[in-house]
């Protein structure tokens, strides 16, 4: 009887150790969509002219999609993920640093 309890106890601790260990697999990093990079290239095509403002719009919901349709003539970048936002900021900052 004691052997069964001891084996159960070690099973529980080993499973708890595996659950709480820091060896969890991190999700793969997200990659920015090509359309975001295309939008940025279109907005930042000229080396000597940068717009005063660039609007980033999250288009994962209908409000963002509607807003992007209303502001079609403004310099906007439609994003759907954190990778898109990071790519947009990186491209804008690198363009500013080039000037």
């Amino acid at each position: 009887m004691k052997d069964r309890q001891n084996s159960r106890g070690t099973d529980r601790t080993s499973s708890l150790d595996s659950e709480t260990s820091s060896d969890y697999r991190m999700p793969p990093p997200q990659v920015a969509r090509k359309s975001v990079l295309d939008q940025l290239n279109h907005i930042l095509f000229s080396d000597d002219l940068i717009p005063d403002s660039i609007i980033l719009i999250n288009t994962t919901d209908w409000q963002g999609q509607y807003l992007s349709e209303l502001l079609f003539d403004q310099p906007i970048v439609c994003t759907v993920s954190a990778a898109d936002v990071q790519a947009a900021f990186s491209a804008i900052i690198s363009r500013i640093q080039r000037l």
Side-chain angles (χ1 to χ4, degrees):
M1 185 80 146
K2 288 183 181 181
D3 290 337
R4 283 187 181 175
Q5 289 175 349
N6 286 342
S7 68
R8 284 184 187 168
T10 57
D11 288 345
R12 286 182 184 165
T13 56
S14 64
S15 67
L16 282 176
D17 289 343
S18 66
E19 288 176 8
T20 58
S21 69
S22 61
D23 191 53
Y24 283 110
R25 301 282 180 208
M26 296 298 291
Q30 294 180 340
V31 179
R33 296 175 303 126
K34 185 180 181 320
S35 63
V36 170
L37 301 175
D38 289 342
Q39 291 172 35
L40 286 166
N41 285 333
H42 179 72
I43 293 170
L44 303 172
F45 67 93
S46 174
D47 283 337
D48 22 317
L49 182 65
I50 293 180
D52 292 335
S53 63
I54 297 175
I55 302 168
L56 300 178
I57 299 175
N58 182 355
T59 56
T60 56
D61 55 4
W62 70 269
Q63 293 94 340
Q65 294 170 5
Y66 179 70
L67 184 62
S68 69
E69 290 175 8
L70 289 178
L71 301 175
F72 70 92
D73 58 341
Q74 301 293 317
I76 63 170
V77 177
C78 298
T79 63
V80 295
S81 68
D84 290 348
V85 174
Q86 186 175 4
F89 277 114
S90 296
I92 294 166
I93 290 171
S94 67
R95 185 59 56 98
I96 290 171
Q97 288 176 340
R98 264 191 255 159
L99 294 175

